[in-house]
Amino acid sequence: MRFTSSTAFITLATLANLGSATWKVKFYKSGCPTKPDAPETGSISGEKGDELWCISAGWAHNIVLENIDAEGMTVELFSGNDCSGSIGKISTDNFCHVIPSDTVLAAARILPK
């Protein structure tokens, strides 16, 4: 499936509500979560094979992936909200990825590997 940013949130929110989402990306403005119930500044979820080409990351500084690697997906991070200024690619599950303090995470691209 291929989504545009405007339909991605609606479609993926629907998938999550139906219980069919198999992965989740959680964004945090500061600090790494130390508890599973730590407040997120935003999140998105989906299924294996989804293609999210440019989604907002809400100007986060930290990101945690759940089942991204397990589902054969990868996340590319960007400093520009138009998916410019690549920060790098990540796919390690259940690890708090910290964005350098002089950079903000404005957008992300989530694709199959």
Side-chain angles (χ1 to χ4, degrees):
M1 245 186 271
R2 181 176 179 160
F3 298 107
T4 62
S5 61
S6 61
T7 61
F9 286 111
I10 295 167
T11 303
L12 291 177
T14 302
L15 291 174
N17 288 337
L18 295 175
S20 62
T22 58
W23 54 258
K24 186 173 186 178
V25 176
K26 300 187 289 187
F27 303 104
Y28 299 87
K29 289 226 186 229
S30 64
C32 288
T34 56
K35 301 178 191 173
D37 60 347
E40 304 163 9
T41 56
S43 66
I44 192 160
S45 56
E47 295 181 318
K48 182 177 184 172
D50 285 347
E51 296 181 5
L52 303 169
W53 286 89
C54 192
I55 60 164
S56 173
W59 304 101
H61 279 283
N62 304 310
I63 184 172
V64 176
L65 311 176
E66 293 180 0
N67 293 324
I68 286 286
D69 191 43
E71 291 293 323
M73 305 290 286
T74 188
V75 178
E76 187 171 3
L77 309 174
F78 299 93
S79 60
N81 56 1
D82 61 348
C83 285
S84 61
S86 180
I87 297 170
K89 290 184 179 182
I90 58 174
S91 63
T92 305
D93 291 329
N94 303 312
F95 177 79
C96 185
H97 301 272
V98 179
I99 307 307
S101 61
D102 62 343
T103 305
V104 290
L105 173 56
R109 178 176 293 147
I110 306 169
L111 298 171
K113 287 183 181 178

